[in-house]
Amino acid sequence: MGKIKTWAKNLKRKIFILYFACKDKRVPWYAKTFTAGVVAYAFSPIDLIPDFIPILGYLDDIIIVPLGIMLALKMIPINVISDCELKAEEMLKNGKPKNWVAGSLIISIWSLFILWLIVKGYQIIQGQ
């Protein structure tokens, strides 16, 4: 169990390194785009495969996220990664940042999607 906790902690650290790399001007645009997607997916409470599906639900957490992190780290220059490691270590000591704008945006998008589903469901029921 200790190895799993260490692995998870290291994964979390790498996600924060990528978080800072997304903001760095020395990172190429394609790497920023891919890295932003990996970071957003890792921080998002919504998974590609829902966790309640037995075995398959955790595949994204065990395979997709680490694979995305590995690929993103290969796209970023080594000197940027070194600088971002320092920033990530400092941030992990001081506490995680809270991005209320991004959180509000995600909640708004999901709320609109649910509202759209309700309206479509109502239209289907009325049409029958």
Side-chain angles (χ1 to χ4, degrees):
M1 195 61 143
K3 286 184 180 182
I4 293 173
K5 285 184 180 181
T6 303
W7 177 78
K9 193 172 190 175
N10 189 34
L11 202 64
K12 182 178 177 182
R13 185 177 149 275
K14 287 180 181 177
I15 292 169
F16 283 113
I17 291 168
L18 293 176
Y19 169 77
F20 284 111
C22 285
K23 297 178 176 189
D24 198 297
K25 292 177 181 167
R26 299 172 288 176
V27 176
W29 69 268
Y30 59 89
K32 278 186 182 186
T33 303
F34 183 78
T35 301
V38 170
V39 171
Y41 186 78
F43 284 145
S44 174
I46 296 126
D47 290 338
L48 187 62
I49 305 167
D51 289 341
F52 63 82
I53 298 173
I55 300 170
L56 292 176
Y58 291 103
L59 280 180
D60 62 339
D61 297 328
I62 296 171
I63 296 172
I64 295 173
V65 172
L67 185 62
I69 290 170
M70 182 184 72
L71 291 172
L73 287 171
K74 289 185 183 280
M75 292 183 195
I76 300 169
I78 299 290
N79 57 337
V80 174
I81 292 173
S82 298
D83 293 346
C84 292
E85 282 176 342
L86 297 173
K87 292 177 185 178
E89 290 299 324
E90 184 67 29
M91 189 204 53
L92 287 170
K93 288 178 186 174
N94 297 332
K96 298 178 209 166
K98 292 176 178 58
N99 191 337
W100 295 104
V101 174
S104 299
L105 182 64
I106 290 169
I107 290 170
S108 298
I109 290 169
W110 277 104
S111 298
L112 288 172
F113 178 69
I114 291 168
L115 180 64
W116 179 80
L117 285 176
I118 292 169
V119 168
K120 285 296 180 185
Y122 181 76
Q123 289 174 348
I124 289 170
I125 292 170
Q126 292 299 321
Q128 292 182 9

